[in-house]
Amino acid sequence: MNKKKATLIGMSAILLWSTMVGLVRAISVELGPVGGAATIYSASAVLMFFIAGIPKFDSFPRKYLYAGGLLFVLYEICLALSLGYAHNSRQAIEVAMLNYLWPSMTILFAIIFNRQKANLLIIPGLLLSLFGVCWVLSGDRGFHPGEILVNLRSNPLSYFLAFSASLLWAAYCTVTVKTSQGKTGTTLFLAFTALALWIKFFLGTNPPMHVDWTVAVYVAMAAIAVGLGFAAWNIGIIHGNLAMLATASYFTPVFSAVLASLLLKTPLSFYFWKGAFMVCLGSLLSWISTRDRSTKRQDPGLSNT
């Protein structure tokens, strides 16, 4: 396949995944946090079965299947529920920005656990990402520690789940690099995620699910974003320009916020966008810190995003 075409296909995956924050939130409002997430991942798993076929357990290394699968499932559940449990659309978008600490966390985990080499740019990269999130959580007054505490206390569950998601995905990427042997269990892991969510749904108390054509379309769009997103991404990283894809992927928080703002009809302030760009630039600096010494090693932030 032509390298330029493959890169463009890979870029489309970034745009597809960027729709997920708005879609998950919109679906959760109608189907409930747990029911909505279970429906999304069920539809995504079915679509992936058609795209990639039914995976065989024996084809995956056991460490990757168990450890990677557990981390993947926990990540997807934490992310989806953090958006679903948000008090409103604005808070859901803020919560999603906290999840986007994962690129910088992935680099940090790769340095600690996979002996990834990095230069001193990693320090300002991590600090800029963290400061960007703090700026977003400060609301519309710029950086203000008091406002951060007020926001966190207003819904600690959502913010805790989102931060946990960032660490879980960083851990998943780290485990994948060490144990996957080039295999990807995305289809299987999506099915496990759906199963875990349905178990939680039927064992717990949940609000009624209001299904209509709009919700059905949103669920289909979310399934396509996940299924085609992974398919397009695999083409991009195998046949396309990996460096260009890596650079673009670190601006996903901004793409995601733009699309979520439009879908949820939620205007965002200048201060929010300032914080979002800080998160992106911090992630990019963290990635650049690994480039000069490890150009032949697998990218620590792109193992299976």
Side-chain angles (χ1 to χ4, degrees), residues 124-155:
L126 290 171
L127 292 177
L128 189 58
S129 291
L130 289 170
F131 189 67
V133 167
C134 291
W135 200 284
V136 167
L137 297 184
S138 294
D140 297 333
R141 298 174 55 187
F143 181 69
H144 196 285
E147 289 296 321
I148 296 174
L149 291 176
V150 169
N151 284 333
L152 293 177
R153 288 172 180 170
S154 70
N155 191 355

Side-chain angles (χ1 to χ4, degrees), residues 16-223:
L16 286 169
W17 287 331
S18 295
T19 66
M20 287 301 294
V21 170
L23 289 171
V24 171
R25 175 60 189 178
I27 294 168
S28 297
V29 170
E30 300 298 329
L31 303 184
V34 181
T39 303
I40 291 170
Y41 288 108
S42 296
S44 300
V46 170
L47 181 59
M48 285 296 290
F49 284 140
F50 282 106
I51 293 175
I54 299 176
K56 298 179 180 179
F57 281 89
D58 294 340
S59 65
F60 299 104
R62 286 294 179 262
K63 288 184 179 180
Y64 170 63
L65 185 63
Y66 299 139
L70 178 63
L71 290 168
F72 185 102
V73 170
L74 290 175
Y75 165 77
E76 297 292 353
I77 290 175
C78 284
L79 177 59
L81 295 186
S82 71
L83 299 174
Y85 287 140
H87 290 164
N88 51 56
S89 297
R90 169 61 186 262
Q91 190 175 78
I93 298 173
E94 290 181 356
V95 163
M97 199 57 58
L98 187 58
N99 163 69
Y100 284 122
L101 282 173
W102 72 258
S104 294
M105 294 296 103
T106 299
I107 302 295
L108 180 62
F109 280 23
I111 292 170
I112 296 173
F113 300 110
N114 287 354
R115 298 181 180 179
Q116 175 75 44
K117 301 297 183 181
N119 59 38
L120 292 177
L121 278 177
I122 186 63
I123 297 175
L126 290 171
L127 292 177
L128 189 58
S129 291
L130 289 170
F131 189 67
V133 167
C134 291
W135 200 284
V136 167
L137 297 184
S138 294
D140 297 333
R141 298 174 55 187
F143 181 69
H144 196 285
E147 289 296 321
I148 296 174
L149 291 176
V150 169
N151 284 333
L152 293 177
R153 288 172 180 170
S154 70
N155 191 355
L157 179 59
S158 277
Y159 289 110
F160 172 76
L161 288 173
F163 181 67
S164 297
S166 70
L167 299 180
L168 286 165
W169 192 254
Y172 172 76
C173 292
T174 304
V175 168
T176 297
V177 169
K178 295 187 69 172
T179 65
S180 68
Q181 298 177 16
K183 303 288 185 178
T184 175
T186 302
T187 303
L188 198 59
F189 297 162
L190 286 171
F192 288 159
T193 303
L195 178 61
L197 284 165
W198 282 121
I199 291 173
K200 177 175 174 55
F201 179 82
F202 287 113
L203 292 181
T205 302
N206 297 281
M209 301 173 71
H210 302 288
V211 181
D212 56 28
W213 283 109
T214 301
V215 173
V217 170
Y218 283 167
V219 170
M221 290 172 63

